[in-house]
Amino acid sequence: AEGEAAPVGHDLWEDIAEVLIPEDQLQKRIQELGETITEDYRGRDLVVVGILKGAALFTADLFRWIRVPASLDFMRIVSYAGTRTTGVHRVLLDLEYELDGRDVLVVEDIVDTGLTLRFLRDYLLPRNPASLRVAALLDKPSRRQVDVPIDYRGFEIPDRFVVGMGLDFNEKYRNLRAICVLRPEVYAAAGQE
Ligand code: XMP
Ligand code: MG
């Protein structure tokens, strides 16, 4: 209902206008990415760096398709309020591991303006990894402000604000199993565009 808080027990699916990428397509693509990564890193050790919180679920699924010895670490970076980027990044959680001489794969949920990825590269490259590559589940190239390489890309999507599979709107909807667009009144009720 418009303007009202969601009732307790309210079904997440009632807020969805459209499924952009269904669960089976997501999982099939994640398996393919994992197999490609496994081929590319054969004979090497990998450090997989998931970017919290958005990429937590994609990282977990992708990591289980990577079949070379791999460590798992996480970083948490914040830059976003609602649907708009602030362009300012803050590291809330840094890595446990040293990266010196290691092959590093950064795992992101979505690349939009590219500013977060550029910040991450600038932040991690001075730690002298042997290599630094990026896997991103989603890519919104129409919104790009800075050119950043994506080595493993799940899907290209149009310029829509999406949720699900770890992606949130005001901290909700991360637990949807598909990539979805919310109904306009859901964004409006939260005081966003
Ligand atoms: P940039 O613009 O730095 O954005 O490439 C990367 C971060 O922006 C967030 N983002 C989204 N989050 N639905 C979301 O839930 C979206 O459609 C969306 N577009 C960008 C996200 O946190 C990502 O890490
Ligand atoms: Mg994010």
Side-chain angles (χ1 to χ4, degrees):
E2 214 167 328
E4 283 173 30
V8 176
H10 154 101
D11 190 326
L12 280 182
W13 284 99
E14 290 170 12
D15 294 344
I16 290 167
E18 200 186 322
V19 172
L20 229 55
I21 310 170
E23 180 183 1
D24 59 336
Q25 279 183 39
L26 283 171
Q27 291 305 325
K28 183 167 169 280
R29 184 72 185 125
I30 293 169
Q31 179 177 346
E32 287 171 1
L33 292 175
E35 288 169 351
T36 304
I37 290 165
T38 300
E39 286 307 309
D40 291 356
Y41 288 91
R42 212 170 272 296
R44 288 145 78 188
D45 275 27
L46 191 56
V47 179
V48 172
V49 175
I51 307 302
L52 300 173
K53 303 177 203 172
L57 281 72
F58 172 45
T59 302
D61 287 344
L62 182 66
F63 193 67
R64 287 177 291 176
W65 286 111
I66 294 174
R67 289 164 181 197
V68 295
S71 326
L72 182 60
D73 208 346
F74 291 98
M75 281 183 77
R76 179 149 182 232
I77 298 178
V78 286
S79 69
Y80 245 69
T83 62
R84 291 184 175 282
T85 185
T86 59
V88 178
H89 297 87
R90 205 148 53 92
V91 175
L92 289 190
L93 174 73
D94 209 331
L95 295 173
E96 177 191 345
Y97 305 136
E98 304 288 328
L99 300 184
D100 197 50
R102 314 284 308 270
D103 289 308
V104 177
L105 178 66
V106 169
V107 181
E108 257 287 33
D109 50 0
I110 185 166
V111 182
D112 187 36
T113 62
L115 292 168
T116 302
L117 212 52
R118 189 180 62 179
F119 171 84
L120 271 165
R121 291 182 64 85
D122 292 347
Y123 193 78
L124 296 178
L125 282 173
R127 300 185 186 185
N128 296 313
S131 67
L132 180 65
R133 288 188 187 169
V134 173
L137 181 63
L138 304 176
D139 182 15
K140 269 189 206 177
S142 60
R143 298 245 317 155
R144 201 72 92 249
Q145 288 177 26
V146 292
D147 196 28
V148 282
I150 302 174
D151 303 281
Y152 306 98
R153 171 200 340 251
F155 298 87
E156 186 174 313
I157 62 165
D159 182 13
R160 318 270 306 269
F161 192 83
V162 295
V163 297
M165 189 68 196
L167 288 141
D168 72 305
F169 173 63
N170 286 348
E171 294 298 323
K172 287 198 294 184
Y173 307 102
R174 295 190 197 274
N175 49 338
L176 288 168
R177 303 182 70 95
I179 296 295
C180 304
V181 176
L182 297 174
R183 293 166 60 194
E185 55 267 36
V186 179
Y187 298 114
Q192 308 287 332
E193 56 191 346

